[in-house]
Amino acid sequence: MVSHINYALSRVFNNSIYAPPICRVEGDLSEGSHKFSPNSESSLEPQKTCGGFSETYAALCDYNGIGCKEEVQWDVDTIYHSQDNREFNLLDFSHLDSRDLAVIVASIAYNTWFTKLHCKDMRIGSEVVDQVLHTVSKSNSLEELTLENAGLKSDFPQKMASALSENPASVIHSLNLAHNTLDNQGTGLETLPPTAVSHRAPLIVLLLLLLRCCFSLLSKNSKSMSLLANLYLFLAQPNCLVHLDLSGTDCTVDSLFGALLRGCCADLSYLNLSKNSFSHRKARDSLPTFRQFFSSAFSLTHVSLASVKVPPDSLRALFLGLSNNPHITDLHLDIGSCELRSAGAGVIQELFPRVSCVGTLDISDNGLDADLLAVIPAFSRHPSLKHLMLGKNFNIKGRVLDEILQKLVHLVQEEECALQSLSLADSRLRQRGTVLVNALGSNTCLRKVDLSGNLLEDSGAKMLSKALQINTTLRSVMWDRNNTTATGFQDVARALEHNFTLQYMPLPLSDVTQAYRSAPEKTDQIQRALLRNNQTQRFSQKQALRLHQGLVTSTAEQVMERLCVRVQQQVCVLKGCEEGEEVQTARQILKEARDSRALYPSLCELAHVLSVDGPVKQRLDTLAGELAKAADKELQVVVDSMVSLCRELCPMSCSAAERLTPPLSSISEQVSIPRSAIRNALMERAAEDINRALEEVKLSVVSYLTNSIVDQILQELYNTHKTLVLVIPLFCASHADASSV
């Protein structure tokens, strides 16, 4: 009987060491009583759906004398299980009573399936909170706990710290208690043993530092100062903090870095200190630690000081620290809305070119305005800068704005430009911004551009349509709040009929709301074209290589034509004299100038012809056959193993099934993947992606060769023209002397 009881308990509580011991016997029960049914000596315990949550939930409902909700069991057993969802979201059951929610949370304490418990923007009662703490103190599977804006009370941090201390097997690494008014009662950090963070990988105890709204430090009373001291003490200990979000907590940014330098240099990856402030009196004293932290951090990938008024000296220390940091790369640095103005612009101009670890830079809304003339060149040829946000910095008009936009055009058109995305959102550039839109046509580096909120109107949309017809690099365009009408959207839609590479253009809800009322069919076309571009069917390689021909050669051809005319006229003047070396050179360069007109299309045609049945296609054909054979072999192994297991578990039934048609032993010979499915997967999907990458490289090579040769021809034409300018007067003088004789 004891074996039966303990077996039932092990089923309900998943063999948890915290299962209630209703009955115990002298000595240890056999191991089999936990794994096998008392009525069977060999039957294996079947795997239970979602770790047996429904059984545990039903048992706890019965124990607490409340009705078991079949809805809860069905949702978990069907929805959660089918999606392999390990995050239990209390919002799915927000319509239930607090007592029902409490039992649901209690069930997770004995469940090994769920690793996350989530509750956001939903007030939970004291019963539920108590069970959350119970789960934290018992569970050895719970990794993430989110109770954001859940109405927690001020004593919750201490209780949470106590629950964590009671559970030596806890694996919690992320705890989000943001937007709970916990006042100044402390975080419970002081109740944890000193090794509570360091010895439990990756226990980020009390990422109560995600609290945002948990501090009320403006009062500067003794409790808040004690809270700060405990916070700094916690951060200064060696810890495993990876993600630290103190945004909007009214903490003083500069005073924090002494603690961060001592305890958080090794693992801290995400640091968000936005919407706080510097203590300007002591900012200068903290500059050394501020700089040293950014030069010593090993793992930083994201730093945000957005909406923090950053003093110029602190900005200088930040850049100097990052420039001396050999450990980090591709850092996301957000210093938007920091009121940098002219002083900050000077620091960016001087030091940012030396900061090689920044991959994303947000300096939007900093009042840079006319100072952008000096700031933009600092981004030129930056080796690592891939994403740049400059919006809300253009509160200027007239000639200065034109000069700034020209510098931006020059920036994105440089051959060595590494930028992949550029945001000028909400800059209100108006008609002057069309020069930048027009430049997108010849741009070969940007893959994403955000031009929303610039009031570019239909003329800007027309420039965008022209750019999209010849651009093969852009994948995403943000375009809204530009006062675009249905006519402008129709221009963009027509352009997308010839653009097969743009994949994402979010529906411009602000502008399209008005346009859709008058002409819905003109706006639908854009979405259809984008849907087509996201399919696997692509335009031909030859079409891609032709796309830039006019762009690459048009301007050069015009200059070449004028120089050819001048040189030809000079050759005609010298026609009557004995042809010297200068004239022979002129005739040769004129011939090459004529032949160069066929250079671009000939290179494109050559690239196309050699790719029709090239090594890539041949290799893919061979690979399709090899994959088909490998798939058949894998199927045969899997099916044979399945049949063997069936025979092992049910030998009598399998023997009878051999008389079926087809028999079990021959199933592996009957199944296979259609050859066409594998070939189509390779040739229509993988091949298209490979060919698209090849096309981009071929296009760049064709453009480089054409530009290089044409540039040399232009230089030779110019030199020849200068030489003949000197030869013709001598020829005319000698011809006049001969006539007089």
Side-chain angles (χ1 to χ4, degrees), residues 549-691:
Q549 179 180 359
L551 179 67
V552 171
T553 59
S554 59
T555 304
E557 282 184 355
Q558 295 174 10
V559 177
M560 187 184 297
E561 187 67 31
R562 289 196 295 269
L563 282 173
C564 284
V565 169
R566 294 179 184 177
V567 173
Q568 186 64 53
Q569 290 173 345
Q570 292 169 330
V571 169
C572 290
V573 170
L574 299 172
K575 190 175 182 180
C577 71
E578 181 181 351
E579 290 192 1
E581 183 180 350
E582 296 87 356
V583 176
Q584 292 177 2
T585 301
R587 291 186 184 280
Q588 179 63 30
I589 197 65
L590 285 172
K591 180 179 181 303
E592 291 191 10
R594 289 192 297 271
D595 293 344
S596 70
R597 296 172 183 172
L599 186 61
Y600 193 96
S602 299
L603 290 174
C604 291
E605 183 65 24
L606 179 64
H608 173 64
V609 170
L610 294 180
S611 298
V612 171
D613 194 22
V616 171
K617 185 176 183 299
Q618 295 173 8
R619 183 60 179 162
L620 285 173
D621 284 333
T622 305
L623 186 59
E626 294 175 356
L627 280 175
K629 294 178 182 178
D632 287 345
K633 185 176 181 179
E634 181 175 327
L635 274 176
Q636 184 176 3
V637 171
V638 171
V639 173
D640 286 344
S641 299
M642 289 178 177
V643 172
S644 298
L645 183 59
C646 290
R647 287 171 176 165
E648 180 182 345
L649 297 177
C650 307
M652 184 181 300
S653 300
C654 286
S655 297
E658 285 294 335
R659 296 190 293 271
L660 299 176
T661 304
L664 289 183
S665 57
S666 65
I667 288 181
S668 61
E669 302 172 3
Q670 308 293 325
V671 295
S672 64
I673 295 179
R675 296 294 189 271
S676 58
I678 294 178
R679 181 174 177 79
N680 290 341
L682 279 176
M683 306 307 292
E684 294 183 6
R685 297 176 188 174
E688 290 294 342
D689 292 336
I690 295 171
N691 286 335

Side-chain angles (χ1 to χ4, degrees), residues 468-469 490-500 525-526 528-530 532-533 543:
L468 291 178
Q469 291 182 59
Q490 190 172 35
D491 287 334
V492 175
R494 280 199 300 267
L496 287 178
E497 293 177 3
H498 307 284
N499 182 299
F500 292 81
Q525 296 176 25
I526 296 176
R528 286 198 296 269
L530 292 174
R532 174 206 62 198
N533 289 358
Q543 179 183 1

Side-chain angles (χ1 to χ4, degrees), residues 357-378:
C357 63
V358 174
T360 301
L361 179 65
D362 187 344
I363 56 171
S364 57
D365 192 21
N366 269 301
L368 300 179
D369 303 335
D371 294 302
L372 285 174
L373 281 172
V375 170
I376 291 175

Side-chain angles (χ1 to χ4, degrees), residues 112-177:
T112 57
W113 171 274
F114 291 106
T115 60
K116 303 176 184 178
L117 179 59
H118 182 92
C119 179
K120 182 178 180 181
D121 298 327
M122 171 184 165
R123 301 284 170 165
I124 56 177
S126 58
E127 290 179 297
V128 179
V129 172
D130 289 343
Q131 292 307 316
V132 168
L133 294 170
H134 173 74
T135 298
V136 169
S137 68
K138 302 298 184 186
S139 174
N140 58 1
S141 302
L142 191 65
E143 298 175 1
E144 299 182 20
L145 175 62
T146 297
L147 298 175
E148 186 172 342
N149 192 23
L152 303 180
K153 296 183 179 179
S154 58
D155 59 348
F156 184 82
Q158 290 93 338
K159 291 182 178 180
M160 174 63 74
S162 176
L164 285 167
S165 298
E166 293 173 11
N167 188 356
S170 175
V171 292
I172 290 181
H173 61 72
S174 180
L175 180 59
N176 183 352
L177 305 179

Side-chain angles (χ1 to χ4, degrees), residues 378-640:
F379 309 133
S380 178
R381 302 183 182 180
H382 196 282
S384 62
L385 186 62
K386 300 181 181 67
H387 311 285
L388 178 63
M389 282 72 93
L390 282 176
K392 298 184 180 180
N393 279 310
F394 295 82
N395 190 24
I396 40 178
K397 298 179 180 179
R399 182 179 58 82
V400 177
L401 178 57
D402 291 336
E403 292 180 14
I404 291 173
L405 292 175
Q406 286 297 335
K407 285 187 178 294
L408 271 176
V409 170
H410 179 70
L411 171 67
V412 300
Q413 289 185 336
E414 283 187 349
E415 292 184 3
E416 300 179 14
C417 180
L419 276 182
Q420 296 178 8
S421 70
L422 176 66
S423 173
L424 300 176
D426 299 309
S427 297
R428 304 177 71 86
L429 299 176
R430 301 184 187 275
Q431 293 298 311
R432 295 180 184 273
T434 55
V435 64
L436 184 61
V437 180
N438 190 46
L440 295 177
S442 58
N443 176 260
T444 57
C445 63
L446 290 178
R447 300 177 67 85
K448 177 180 178 180
V449 64
D450 187 349
L451 296 171
S452 300
N454 280 292
L455 308 178
L456 296 170
E457 300 182 344
D458 286 347
S459 57
K462 186 172 287 293
M463 291 296 103
L464 178 64
S465 70
K466 293 180 179 180
L468 291 178
Q469 291 182 59
I470 57 175
N471 183 285
T472 59
T473 308
L474 280 173
R475 297 293 182 268
S476 172
V477 172
M478 310 287 190
W479 183 278
D480 198 4
R481 303 187 304 282
N482 278 311
N483 291 346
T484 307
T485 69
T487 301
F489 286 125
Q490 190 172 35
D491 287 334
V492 175
R494 280 199 300 267
L496 287 178
E497 293 177 3
H498 307 284
N499 182 299
F500 292 81
T501 53
L502 186 71
Q503 297 175 348
Y504 183 65
M505 188 174 179
L507 192 65
L509 293 176
S510 179
D511 289 346
V512 84
T513 301
Q514 299 297 325
Y516 201 84
R517 292 174 180 172
S518 58
E521 70 284 353
K522 294 181 180 180
T523 54
D524 283 343
Q525 296 176 25
I526 296 176
Q527 298 303 312
R528 286 198 296 269
L530 292 174
L531 180 63
R532 174 206 62 198
N533 289 358
N534 281 280
Q535 302 297 321
T536 56
Q537 182 178 0
R538 301 288 180 180
F539 57 120
S540 70
Q541 183 183 39
K542 188 174 180 180
Q543 179 183 1
L545 291 171
R546 285 202 315 264
L547 200 54
H548 272 193
Q549 179 180 359
L551 179 67
V552 171
T553 59
S554 59
T555 304
E557 282 184 355
Q558 295 174 10
V559 177
M560 187 184 297
E561 187 67 31
R562 289 196 295 269
L563 282 173
C564 284
V565 169
R566 294 179 184 177
V567 173
Q568 186 64 53
Q569 290 173 345
Q570 292 169 330
V571 169
C572 290
V573 170
L574 299 172
K575 190 175 182 180
C577 71
E578 181 181 351
E579 290 192 1
E581 183 180 350
E582 296 87 356
V583 176
Q584 292 177 2
T585 301
R587 291 186 184 280
Q588 179 63 30
I589 197 65
L590 285 172
K591 180 179 181 303
E592 291 191 10
R594 289 192 297 271
D595 293 344
S596 70
R597 296 172 183 172
L599 186 61
Y600 193 96
S602 299
L603 290 174
C604 291
E605 183 65 24
L606 179 64
H608 173 64
V609 170
L610 294 180
S611 298
V612 171
D613 194 22
V616 171
K617 185 176 183 299
Q618 295 173 8
R619 183 60 179 162
L620 285 173
D621 284 333
T622 305
L623 186 59
E626 294 175 356
L627 280 175
K629 294 178 182 178
D632 287 345
K633 185 176 181 179
E634 181 175 327
L635 274 176
Q636 184 176 3
V637 171
V638 171
V639 173
D640 286 344

